[in-house]
Amino acid sequence: MLNIAIIGSGPAGYYTAEAAQKQWGDGVRVDIFDRLPVPYGLIRTGVAPDHQSIKGVSRRYEAVALTDNVRFLGNVTVGTDITIAELTGLYDAVVLATGAPNDKPLGIEGDDLANVFGSAAFVGWYNGHPAFAGLEPDLSGSHAVVIGNGNVALDVARILAKTTPEFTGSDIVGRALELLGTSSLTQVTLLGRRGPHQIAMTPKELGELGHLTRAAPRVDPADLPPEAEDAALDPGQRKSVTHLRAFAAAGDAAAKPFTVDFDFFAAPRRLLGEGGKVTGVEIERTKLDENGRAVGTGDIYTIPASMVVACIGYQTSPIPGVPFDAAGGRFANEEGRILPGLYCVGWARRGPSGTIGTNRPDGFGVVEKIAHDVGAGDGPIETGKPGGEGFDALAAERGLKLVEFHDWQKIDEAEVKRAREGAPREKFVAVDEMIRAAGKH
Ligand code: NAP
């Protein structure tokens, strides 16, 4: 019997568990830990609340969670409740699937002003992550600036631009919906430090911007390269650029009271403030160098900003004793192996890139590495460790309030029951509320 601990119950965690079942069948026991009492990681707290069909993938994880040899152990913080050294002592293999929950720092003057947020915090707020539930952004100004040209920037711009009825059917948390309903914003500027051909937005998500009730995207036709140059792009990117061309062509004919402006070749250099609160962004016009990187042209201008959300990527939380690649913002690893017996997968392995589905081959990849290290019992992994039973004894000794999958099902049921009309659920946003709903108080 091989005992595996997976830390993190997001897509990377569950795909790894699924892969372990395929590899060893009944010969493996998997415990999936999470610091929250609720599973699914970014599916719950990252994927946009108005993208419910994407969240549907959690049903696949549920099927894995309900099998006999996989347990969910929520409300356990590695580093506080149990150390990595203890886990590696208890389990034959430990896989870090902890994602990349921290914002990459913007690192410019003024990034500590009030009403400046990173996307982990901002997205976590409207998605009900307990760490950010109390964010209370000030939406009383008229102009938000969103930094970055990736899908998260698109999500944030769209959420800020939508009207209350456009959230019907979403699981945006009640407090965020209420606050967004009082928003005075009339403009979001999306700052891209490179050009339309370098956006990291996918076509479907970009296309959605053209179908909002009160908001319309605006692209300056002068920013677009000659159309013939689109031929060199890969098909997905070409499709995205086609959307930008359509937005540019629509021009004033598509005007609506709320605009989402694309400002390309625009690198933020400084955030300006008054009384400790952000009021504007100083920007340097850029151009691309021969390697496709953005370089400043010296042309500086300023735009007003009553709030700023930096959507420039994420990094993994280091864990004491685990080798960390600070430049990459992830664990130092070789194709998922940190050391024999300690592995990482998903964003914790490769950084924050790719789609949810990218984590599936990643999960299979790390299981292959574990299988290799187990060998025919002659590999560098020492097997025969106590596994879950050992953990249970330690948890009892420490008085940990474990939330198992059947406890999560109670939380789930309670959230569904208290949903506002038309919403799939109303999430609990505080850990103690979740614990209470699980009947564990
Ligand atoms: P991302 O795709 O890496 O985009 C980050 C953006 O920030 C890029 O445009 C990047 O520009 C820019 N940037 C980075 N550092 C900057 C700086 N210092 N100043 C100005 N701009 C800067 O990251 P993401 O949007 O956070 O998304 C993370 C992953 O989740 C991606 O794989 C994404 O596709 C995925 N995701 C998918 C969906 C969906 O499918 N619906 C939704 C959300 C997220 P450069 O290109 O110039 O570096």
Side-chain angles (χ1 to χ4, degrees):
M1 183 61 69
L2 191 70
N3 289 299
I4 300 182
I6 297 173
I7 320 303
S9 68
Y14 272 107
Y15 284 126
T16 302
E18 189 183 318
Q21 287 182 319
K22 290 237 159 74
Q23 176 76 26
W24 292 287
D26 293 338
V28 68
R29 287 230 177 100
V30 182
D31 280 352
I32 303 184
F33 292 87
D34 204 293
R35 64 182 164 142
L36 290 183
V38 291
Y40 308 143
L42 272 196
I43 300 299
R44 179 178 166 101
T45 60
V47 170
D50 55 346
H51 283 168
Q52 286 298 311
S53 59
I54 299 180
K55 289 184 189 253
V57 72
S58 62
R59 280 191 286 275
R60 181 180 182 136
Y61 309 148
E62 186 179 50
V64 176
L66 290 171
T67 52
D68 288 341
N69 55 347
V70 173
R71 285 201 300 178
F72 170 71
L73 296 165
N75 201 32
V76 180
T77 302
V78 173
T80 312
D81 295 321
I82 185 163
T83 64
I84 281 287
E86 286 169 331
L87 281 167
T88 51
L90 287 170
Y91 292 87
D92 304 320
V94 175
V95 184
L96 304 174
T98 48
N102 302 324
D103 285 305
K104 203 177 105 184
L106 195 52
I108 57 174
E109 188 185 324
D111 63 2
D112 55 348
L113 287 163
N115 235 25
V116 175
F117 307 104
S119 52
F122 197 76
V123 171
W125 167 67
Y126 60 65
N127 261 332
H129 191 297
F132 307 110
L135 199 72
E136 295 289 303
D138 179 356
L139 305 174
S140 64
S142 60
H143 191 175
V145 171
V146 174
I147 301 172
N149 267 181
N151 279 327
V152 172
L154 260 185
D155 281 349
V156 169
R158 188 182 68 255
I159 296 292
L160 289 172
K162 275 193 165 181
T163 56
T164 301
E166 288 170 285
F167 287 105
T168 305
S170 83
D171 66 350
I172 187 167
V173 295
R175 178 60 189 145
L177 185 60
E178 188 187 341
L179 211 56
L180 287 165
T182 65
S183 164
S184 302
L185 292 173
T186 54
Q187 190 177 9
V188 173
T189 299
L190 281 160
L191 289 186
R193 63 179 172 183
R194 297 192 292 159
H197 274 190
Q198 288 76 38
I199 56 170
M201 298 164 169
T202 41
K204 182 167 167 284
E205 285 67 25
L206 187 53
E208 270 181 86
L209 268 195
H211 301 284
L212 302 179
T213 307
R214 70 168 168 196
R218 272 202 307 211
V219 172
D220 182 349
D223 281 339
L224 292 162
E227 203 164 338
E229 292 179 17
D230 293 1
L233 298 172
D234 71 59
Q237 193 72 341
R238 200 178 316 135
K239 218 166 162 187
S240 294
V241 174
T242 303
H243 283 304
L244 294 178
R245 292 194 184 282
F247 298 160
D252 286 344
K256 287 184 183 172
F258 192 120
T259 56
V260 179
D261 288 283
F262 286 81
D263 192 358
F264 293 110
F265 302 106
R269 294 297 184 224
R270 196 155 68 101
L271 302 186
L272 311 170
E274 250 176 56
K277 188 164 173 244
V278 71
T279 54
V281 185
E282 193 178 276
I283 298 165
E284 182 173 10
R285 196 50 86 206
T286 62
K287 59 179 185 184
L288 298 183
D289 68 9
E290 63 281 3
N291 299 314
R293 281 187 308 236
V295 289
T297 61
D299 175 10
I300 306 278
Y301 60 102
T302 298
I303 59 170
S306 54
M307 77 179 285
V308 170
V309 187
C311 306
I312 60 168
Y314 302 111
Q315 49 194 14
T316 299
S317 292
I319 297 179
V322 181
F324 196 70
D325 162 11
R330 57 183 180 225
F331 296 111
N333 72 91
E334 202 191 305
E335 291 173 32
R337 185 193 287 116
I338 299 173
L339 310 160
L342 182 62
Y343 307 84
C344 57
V345 69
W347 282 9
R349 172 178 88 78
R350 66 189 146 83
S353 64
T355 62
I356 293 163
T358 314
N359 293 298
R360 191 165 181 269
D362 237 40
F364 278 84
V366 81
V367 161
E368 249 176 57
K369 280 268 173 293
I370 299 172
H372 176 272
D373 288 351
V374 170
D378 53 353
I381 287 189
E382 202 188 307
T383 52
K385 293 186 183 167
E389 279 171 24
F391 172 76
D392 290 347
L394 191 134
E397 197 182 298
R398 293 188 180 164
L400 301 184
K401 264 185 203 168
L402 303 178
V403 174
E404 296 193 48
F405 202 77
H406 56 90
D407 302 315
W408 146 248
Q409 286 176 312
K410 286 188 208 156
I411 302 174
D412 184 27
E413 203 179 297
E415 288 186 339
V416 171
K417 207 163 153 192
R418 69 192 210 124
R420 61 183 174 270
E421 208 189 321
R425 68 179 62 247
E426 182 63 53
K427 288 177 194 164
F428 294 110
V429 300
V431 167
D432 58 354
E433 285 180 322
M434 296 171 183
I435 303 273
R436 218 171 304 132
K440 288 270 167 175
H441 48 291

